[in-house]
């Protein structure tokens, strides 16, 4: 099954499985069952079994999956073996933090350039990646055929930036701005809502304190 044929909830769970499998000691058991994986991640066994069956046919009754093979199947399905180039818009503190994060390479993501409305930021980031003014964005995206855009601008500017990216060939948007983005059919937006995450953590802590 192709990634675009799988629901977003499943796609969001698959990286969790991969991260756990890769965290296990190399000298540990060679096989792992869906039951063990579900228990480790506090998830439903039936759900985990169904998810894994979508990306790998390596499971065996009473044996489970060969761990290294399952890791390979997950990485291939998620596209981590194929480098995806992206542009980032918004070279402020968050944008620069993402530019300097080397861990994206493990997941097949390469942020090739950043853009910002503040011309004084133009030059080269500490990571070695170029930062350009916004006027350079259209030609860059079209010439490089970049398909992913990362938005780290204030909420008031996010929709305009999103529209500009889409107009120049971007098909997927990773949005860090605290705002809902309206996009045409066929464009995927993945928003990182820090307020929502903080609310979940706060409620959990409140429950722990009350308990």
């Amino acid at each position: 099954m192709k990634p675009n044929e799988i629901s977003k909830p499943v796609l969001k769970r698959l990286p969790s499985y991969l991260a756990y499998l890769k965290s296990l000691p190399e000298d540990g058991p060679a096989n792992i069952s869906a039951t063990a994986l579900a228990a480790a991640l506090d998830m439903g066994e039936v759900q985990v079994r169904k998810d894994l069956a979508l990306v790998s046919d390596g499971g065996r009754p009473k044996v489970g999956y060969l761990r290294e093979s399952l890791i390979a199947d997950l990485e291939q399905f998620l596209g981590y073996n194929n480098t995806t180039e992206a542009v980032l818009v918004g070279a402020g503190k968050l944008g620069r933090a993402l530019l300097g994060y080397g861990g994206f390479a493990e997941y097949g993501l390469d942020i090739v350039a950043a853009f910002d409305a503040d011309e004084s930021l133009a030059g080269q980031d500490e990571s070695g990646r170029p930062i350009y003014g916004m006027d350079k964005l259209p030609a860059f995206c079209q010439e490089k055929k970049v398909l992913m855009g990362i938005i780290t601008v204030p909420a008031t500017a996010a929709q305009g930036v999103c529209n500009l990216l889409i107009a120049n060939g971007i098909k997927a948007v990773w949005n860090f701005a605290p705002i809902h983005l309206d996009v045409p059919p066929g464009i995927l937006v993945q928003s990182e809502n820090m307020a929502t995450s903080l609310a979940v953590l706060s409620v959990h802590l409140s429950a722990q304190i009350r308990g």
Side-chain angles (χ1 to χ4, degrees):
M1 184 174 290
K2 298 178 180 179
N4 60 3
E5 297 174 345
I6 289 185
S7 68
K8 286 183 69 175
V10 175
L11 287 174
K12 289 182 177 181
R13 289 192 294 268
L14 296 181
S16 298
Y17 304 150
L18 180 59
Y20 176 73
L21 291 169
K22 296 181 75 170
S23 73
L24 296 174
E26 293 185 4
D27 58 353
N31 290 73
I32 186 168
S33 66
T35 302
L37 190 56
L41 298 175
D42 194 25
M43 298 172 67
E45 178 184 343
V46 174
Q47 184 66 74
V48 172
R49 196 179 302 280
K50 288 182 178 179
D51 290 349
L52 295 182
L54 294 173
V55 302
S56 175
D57 59 1
R60 298 292 181 269
K62 299 182 180 180
V63 175
Y65 293 84
L66 185 62
R67 184 168 62 90
E68 290 301 323
S69 295
L70 183 55
I71 288 175
D73 287 342
L74 284 164
E75 288 183 332
Q76 180 177 6
F77 183 85
L78 292 169
Y80 291 172
N81 296 324
N82 303 315
T83 300
T84 297
E85 295 186 337
V87 293
L88 181 146
V89 181
K93 291 183 178 179
L94 176 56
R96 287 178 179 269
L98 295 177
L99 277 178
Y101 179 58
F104 287 138
E106 181 179 351
Y107 304 103
L109 177 63
D110 180 17
I111 304 176
V112 291
F115 298 83
D116 200 283
D118 185 351
E119 297 285 348
S120 68
L121 297 178
Q124 192 175 73
D125 183 66
E126 293 179 0
S127 65
R129 293 176 172 83
I131 300 176
Y132 301 110
M134 289 298 293
D135 60 314
K136 301 290 194 304
L137 179 79
F140 188 95
C141 288
Q142 293 175 30
E143 290 173 6
K144 302 293 185 181
K145 294 182 171 55
V146 180
L147 298 179
M148 180 184 292
I150 302 172
I151 296 178
T152 55
V153 300
T156 53
Q159 185 64 61
V161 167
C162 182
N163 294 344
L164 181 62
L165 289 169
I166 293 171
N168 289 284
I170 295 299
K171 302 298 183 185
V173 176
W174 195 4
N175 176 41
F176 286 84
I179 188 173
H180 170 77
L181 297 175
D182 293 316
V183 299
I187 304 296
L188 176 65
V189 174
Q190 176 63 40
S191 293
E192 299 299 330
N193 194 319
M194 297 180 187
T196 299
S197 297
L198 180 59
V200 172
L201 292 170
S202 296
V203 170
H204 174 75
L205 287 176
S206 297
Q208 294 297 315
I209 293 172
R210 289 196 299 270

